[in-house]
Amino acid sequence: MPFGNTHNNFKLNYSVEDEFPDLTKHNNHMAKVLTQEMYAKLRDKQTPTGFTVDDVIQTGVDNPGHPFIMTVGCVAGDEESYEVFKDLLDPVISDRHGGYKATDKHKTDLNFENLKGGDDLDPNYVLSSRVRTGRSIKGYALPPHNSRGERRAVEKLSVEALNSLDGEFKGKYYPLKSMTDAEQEQLIADHFLFDKPVSPLLLGAGMARDWPDARGIWHNENKTFLVWVNEEDHLRVISMQKGGNMKEVFKRFCVGLQRIEEIFKKHNHGFMWNQHLGFILTCPSNLGTGLRGGVHVKLPKLSTHAKFEEILNRLRLQKRGTGGVDTASVGGVFDISNADRIGSSEVDQVQCVVDGVKLMVEMEKKLEKGESIDSMIPAQK
Amino acid sequence: MPFGNSHNQLKMKYSSEQEYPDLSKHNNHMAKVLTPALYEKLRSKQTPSGFTLDDVIQTGIDNPGHPFIMTVGCVAGDEETYEVFKELLDPVIQDRHGGYKPTDKHKTDLNPNNLKGGDDLDANYVLSSRVRTGRSIRGLGLPPHCSRGERRAVEKLSVEALGALTGDLKGKYYALKNMTEAEQQQLIDDHFLFDKPVSPLLLASGMARDWPDARGIWHNDNKTFLVWVNEEDHLRVISMQKGGNMKEVFNRFCTGLSKIEELFKNKGQEFMWNEHLGYVLTCPSNLGTGLRAGVHVKLPNLSKYRQFEEILKRLRLQKRGTGGVDTAAVGGIFDISNADRLGFSEVELVQMLVDGLKLLIEMEKRLEKGQAIEDLMPAQK
């Protein structure tokens, strides 16, 4: 329930034409897919928790997009959104995820032993390594739609689960609303703190309601494993450390995730997952693995090479500035991560990062010596 | 087939305590009134169009307020909100409107002949005069809750009505979404253009949804009568001109409003109004007359006088900067307007402004000459 409109009982008294949004100036996945006919078909439907098509699309209606960036323009309010509104979401998913079909099956592989290499990325170039994903807890509505009671239940369950972790995972929870100034400073210095969303994409979906109630940050004592509670998803799980040992980062990621999942299952609230979409998250762009595995890497020469974008494309990688999505790179340091989320497993995606970054660092070294890299340009993965 | 209350039914599975918002850091009228017991009583209710308690209060939860400014913290989604949620809204109205009781009756007087004077405010001091109010069209959802179909119906009806105005009220409608660059620039230069709200108070209540669909500005050829369509209310009606002839401004205001109301009636529509609350608008702070009559006036000496605030208070006036609410005064020029909205008629409020200003200007002139003004101190109106 982002806003009151969702359950407006009188909107069906108006014709489809009168209710259909004006998407003429829009450029997002939702706007490309949603025709008036489709809207007519879906407009009187709702999920069991009451999420409607207007709820799904409001963020895309209110954020027409950018001529160069294709945003998704729709969100799920619960697990059932992906079923009830499949006529809209399947084509959006297909467009966003490289042609992933409504009949495709997604493979989950969180066995870190299946990753080859990844422990020897050159720390002179690779400054830090990080893997993140999201998880949704079955039986609760998602951030665009949940009530305060549901959100608090997610927090309670999550904190119980996280506090029962031990060994390298032993840690502490910091709820946003009762954080001391000192704790806040420390979390900012560690680059752990998340703030109330300011992006109109997120605000337009209603996920900032009741901020900062039931939001918080949990991290282990070593500061290498971090969980965000009730930000854009129920849980965001992050494993990170300085340097290039992606293998270690991924191992901690997999082990930690599995421990957490076990505890949730014991409470009869496992993670939302199915064979087709993998892990279910709020934004359709994060379905499948929900995984973004990346490094901060120095590529001052390669990044100015004519074929940099093409190389990334072929390696199935994407670049971002070191401030994250939509920031610029500083000093030739880039955030390089996997581009895919669905249709390949966690191991597959981290393997792409490991292999791709290894290659790019070699290219960088060649360019430093003034040598050509033409023979190293990879084939399309 | 309405949507029923399913989104609300899910919330009912959680106890009232689990759903009750954390208002411990809040300072707005809603937070002062909404106890856990009251929340429990109202949480299962909805208006016929489906507006719920959580819809009413969301903006107040998401905007805790300011230690010095008391915001209202709640909105109406339709006319019935004020009835279904009277146990919350009556005390809020009482606090906000100087003790106005649930049994009080409000008087409407839009007869400009009843205003005494107001045509002779010293133009050396009074730079401009303006009167504004809002109107809601009965039977259609209010901005926090309306669907696109309802909002477009408001626009269509309004444009038809305004299009039938004649004489010095004859004018033209500029839809926000079709405006040319030239038209936009002109409207900005005239200080007529309204933009998509940026205030989190407004955004959190959902009134910016689907922007700029069905929003627009109408004004007469003389640029002295202006109507905003679908901004914070269905209609905002403004009469304004340079100089201090408030009588003329108020004349035009009343005449224009009556004509518009007549045109609506001819089409079988009417404005939301009742004996107790007067004109029904989105924000409880605008009930009654919805009227703010004000001037831009030069008071550089008086504004520094230690009893300036006290004088305004006794005259039932308020000051703002010349950018409107929450802006600072520039060059000793203040926006001075009536403080009240409900429990006084339109004529009474404009009379208080006119009489009060006459006194303020007299005081300013005395202070210019270095003379005392203690003998001019008014009694509390």
Side-chain angles (χ1 to χ4, degrees):
Chain A
M1 108 196 78
F3 302 108
N5 173 55
T6 76
H7 51 283
N8 182 322
N9 293 334
F10 298 152
K11 49 185 174 165
L12 294 181
N13 294 337
Y14 292 80
S15 70
V16 174
E17 198 185 348
D18 283 340
E19 286 294 342
F20 185 66
D22 180 350
L23 301 173
T24 49
K25 297 193 175 77
H26 288 58
N27 186 46
N28 56 52
H29 285 294
M30 178 278 291
K32 283 181 158 343
V33 168
L34 185 69
T35 59
Q36 200 166 294
E37 291 68 37
M38 188 184 285
Y39 185 76
K41 189 176 176 194
L42 298 176
R43 75 179 189 126
D44 59 358
K45 300 200 185 320
Q46 57 178 340
T47 66
T49 68
F51 209 61
T52 65
V53 74
D54 284 327
D55 293 321
V56 174
I57 67 174
Q58 192 67 55
T59 180
V61 173
D62 291 344
N63 294 286
H66 191 278
F68 309 135
I69 300 168
M70 270 294 267
T71 44
V72 176
C74 51
V75 291
D78 50 24
E79 191 165 7
E80 295 82 358
S81 296
Y82 288 102
E83 189 53 44
V84 173
F85 301 109
K86 64 197 317 347
D87 288 356
L88 166 65
L89 294 174
D90 279 349
V92 166
I93 289 165
S94 185
D95 281 355
R96 175 61 173 217
H97 293 284
Y100 192 76
K101 297 192 294 292
T103 48
D104 282 337
K105 301 267 177 283
H106 171 80
K107 187 175 71 182
T108 294
D109 183 359
L110 282 159
N111 185 347
F112 61 89
E113 284 169 356
N114 291 340
L115 181 70
K116 302 188 203 41
D119 51 353
D120 60 351
L121 296 171
D122 190 336
N124 291 312
Y125 293 83
V126 180
L127 307 177
S128 60
S129 307
R130 179 185 188 265
V131 181
R132 69 87 160 150
T133 190
R135 289 291 185 264
S136 306
I137 303 171
K138 230 172 150 59
Y140 298 106
L142 297 174
H145 190 47
N146 53 14
S147 72
R148 281 178 295 276
E150 291 188 284
R151 198 185 298 113
R152 289 163 179 172
V154 164
E155 183 189 38
K156 186 161 184 286
L157 206 49
S158 303
V159 172
E160 266 181 49
L162 294 165
N163 282 343
S164 67
L165 295 174
D166 60 5
E168 71 163 318
F169 294 105
K170 190 169 181 321
K172 184 179 168 183
Y173 181 66
Y174 302 86
L176 250 56
K177 74 174 173 182
S178 42
M179 212 173 270
T180 66
D181 280 348
E183 287 168 339
Q184 186 169 305
E185 286 294 329
Q186 187 59 58
L187 287 164
I188 290 172
D190 291 328
H191 304 288
F192 283 175
L193 187 65
F194 66 90
D195 231 330
K196 180 172 176 177
V198 294
S199 162
L201 299 173
L202 296 180
L203 295 177
M207 46 184 103
R209 288 170 301 121
D210 313 312
W211 203 274
D213 196 307
R215 273 85 167 189
I217 292 163
W218 179 96
H219 70 79
N220 66 351
E221 286 164 15
N222 298 339
K223 298 187 182 180
T224 53
F225 193 72
L226 163 69
V227 178
W228 288 352
V229 178
N230 285 319
E231 194 239 6
E232 185 183 333
D233 281 292
H234 286 167
L235 300 172
R236 282 289 177 99
V237 178
I238 302 153
S239 169
M240 59 199 269
Q241 67 196 47
K242 296 268 185 231
N245 195 340
M246 182 57 93
K247 194 176 187 60
E248 198 169 79
V249 169
F250 188 55
K251 180 180 177 183
R252 185 185 312 115
F253 176 81
C254 294
V255 172
L257 263 176
Q258 277 158 347
R259 296 237 184 122
I260 295 169
E261 184 163 18
E262 255 165 57
I263 301 166
F264 276 103
K265 278 186 173 156
K266 280 206 196 107
H267 286 89
N268 292 318
H269 280 287
F271 295 144
M272 289 183 198
W273 180 94
N274 69 49
Q275 269 199 322
H276 166 51
L277 297 177
F279 288 103
I280 304 281
L281 294 176
T282 304
C283 182
S285 69
N286 282 322
L287 293 165
T289 60
L291 186 145
R292 194 171 92 82
V295 298
H296 284 187
V297 55
K298 287 194 232 182
L299 300 171
K301 299 213 159 354
L302 183 60
S303 57
T304 52
H305 190 277
K307 295 224 175 120
F308 184 46
E309 305 277 353
E310 177 63 18
I311 291 166
L312 287 172
N313 205 344
R314 292 190 186 190
L315 293 173
R316 309 196 74 87
L317 299 176
Q318 65 173 206
K319 72 181 198 308
R320 299 179 181 191
T322 51
V325 66
D326 297 331
T327 64
S329 100
V330 174
V333 179
F334 285 82
D335 175 317
I336 302 290
S337 63
N338 54 297
D340 302 310
R341 301 277 183 272
I342 196 171
S344 49
S345 73
E346 288 82 355
V347 167
D348 292 335
Q349 290 166 7
V350 177
Q351 195 70 64
C352 276
V353 175
V354 157
D355 298 346
V357 169
K358 209 167 173 170
L359 178 63
M360 291 198 294
V361 168
E362 278 173 36
M363 288 174 156
E364 180 70 21
K365 287 172 174 171
K366 281 256 180 134
L367 291 170
E368 274 173 24
K369 295 185 222 150
E371 292 168 17
S372 157
I373 56 165
D374 292 340
S375 60
M376 297 168 78
I377 307 281
Q380 176 69 54
K381 282 196 151 200
Chain B
M1 166 205 350
F3 294 102
N5 209 10
S6 49
H7 68 286
N8 218 27
Q9 281 158 5
L10 188 74
K11 291 189 266 185
M12 296 305 291
K13 292 186 188 160
Y14 292 82
S15 72
S16 186
E17 194 186 347
Q18 286 171 317
E19 288 293 343
Y20 181 70
D22 180 351
L23 300 172
S24 52
K25 297 194 176 77
H26 288 60
N27 186 46
N28 56 51
H29 286 293
M30 178 279 292
K32 283 181 156 347
V33 169
L34 187 69
T35 59
L38 187 57
Y39 184 80
E40 179 156 22
K41 188 165 183 204
L42 298 176
R43 73 183 192 118
S44 59
K45 298 193 190 313
Q46 61 175 348
T47 67
S49 73
F51 207 61
T52 63
L53 176 65
D54 284 332
D55 293 324
V56 174
I57 66 177
Q58 192 67 54
T59 180
I61 298 170
D62 290 344
N63 295 285
H66 191 278
F68 308 136
I69 301 169
M70 269 294 266
T71 45
V72 176
C74 49
V75 291
D78 52 24
E79 193 165 8
E80 295 81 357
T81 300
Y82 288 101
E83 189 54 44
V84 174
F85 299 107
K86 66 193 315 357
E87 282 157 274
L88 168 64
L89 296 174
D90 279 349
V92 166
I93 288 166
Q94 190 152 356
D95 281 355
R96 177 61 175 214
H97 293 282
Y100 193 77
K101 297 192 291 300
T103 48
D104 283 340
K105 300 269 177 278
H106 172 80
K107 190 173 69 177
T108 294
D109 181 1
L110 281 158
N111 185 346
N113 297 325
N114 291 340
L115 182 69
K116 302 188 205 37
D119 52 355
D120 59 351
L121 296 169
D122 189 335
N124 291 314
Y125 293 83
V126 180
L127 307 176
S128 61
S129 306
R130 179 186 187 266
V131 182
R132 69 85 159 152
T133 190
R135 292 290 185 264
S136 308
I137 303 173
R138 184 159 272 165
L140 293 166
L142 295 173
H145 188 49
C146 62
S147 72
R148 281 178 295 273
E150 290 187 291
R151 198 185 298 111
R152 290 164 178 173
V154 168
E155 183 190 38
K156 187 162 184 287
L157 286 166
S158 303
V159 173
E160 271 180 38
L162 295 165
L165 291 172
T166 59
D168 76 314
L169 295 176
K170 185 173 180 312
K172 184 178 169 185
Y173 182 68
Y174 302 86
L176 247 58
K177 70 176 175 178
N178 303 334
M179 216 172 265
T180 66
E181 293 273 348
E183 286 169 340
Q184 185 170 305
Q185 197 51 57
Q186 187 60 55
L187 288 165
I188 290 172
D189 294 340
D190 292 328
H191 304 288
F192 283 175
L193 187 65
F194 67 90
D195 230 330
K196 179 171 178 178
V198 294
S199 162
L201 300 171
L202 297 181
L203 294 178
S205 69
M207 46 181 105
R209 287 170 300 120
D210 314 310
W211 203 274
D213 197 305
R215 273 84 169 190
I217 291 163
W218 179 97
H219 69 78
N220 66 349
D221 296 337
N222 297 339
K223 298 186 184 181
T224 53
F225 194 71
L226 165 68
V227 178
W228 289 352
V229 178
N230 285 321
E231 194 237 10
E232 186 184 331
D233 282 294
H234 286 169
L235 299 169
R236 283 288 179 95
V237 179
I238 301 152
S239 170
M240 58 200 273
Q241 66 194 50
K242 294 268 186 231
N245 196 341
M246 183 54 89
K247 191 172 189 55
E248 197 168 81
V249 170
F250 188 56
N251 251 350
R252 185 185 312 113
F253 176 81
C254 296
T255 308
L257 263 175
S258 311
K259 291 229 169 102
I260 294 171
E261 187 160 16
E262 214 182 288
L263 289 161
F264 271 101
K265 281 198 173 139
N266 290 345
K267 294 188 177 299
Q269 306 289 334
E270 47 183 8
F271 293 144
M272 291 182 196
W273 181 95
N274 66 55
E275 265 198 322
H276 167 49
L277 296 177
Y279 288 101
V280 176
L281 295 176
T282 303
C283 182
S285 69
N286 282 320
L287 292 166
T289 60
L291 185 143
R292 193 172 91 85
V295 299
H296 284 185
V297 58
K298 285 194 231 179
L299 299 171
N301 292 296
L302 184 60
S303 57
K304 297 201 202 84
Y305 185 72
R306 68 193 148 71
Q307 285 191 291
F308 184 45
E309 306 275 355
E310 179 61 22
I311 291 166
L312 289 175
K313 190 162 173 292
R314 292 190 189 186
L315 294 174
R316 308 193 76 91
L317 299 176
Q318 65 174 203
K319 75 182 193 314
R320 298 180 182 192
T322 51
V325 65
D326 298 331
T327 64
V330 173
I333 301 174
F334 285 80
D335 175 318
I336 301 290
S337 63
N338 54 295
D340 301 299
R341 301 277 183 272
L342 176 69
F344 298 89
S345 74
E346 289 80 354
V347 166
E348 283 168 348
L349 293 177
V350 180
Q351 192 70 67
M352 279 196 274
L353 175 72
V354 157
D355 297 347
L357 276 169
K358 245 186 140 136
L359 179 64
L360 292 174
I361 293 168
E362 214 187 311
M363 287 174 155
E364 178 68 21
K365 287 175 173 172
R366 284 246 193 130
L367 291 171
E368 273 174 25
K369 295 184 221 149
Q371 293 165 4
I373 57 169
E374 279 83 5
D375 60 307
L376 293 177
M377 281 297 287
Q380 176 66 57
K381 283 197 154 197

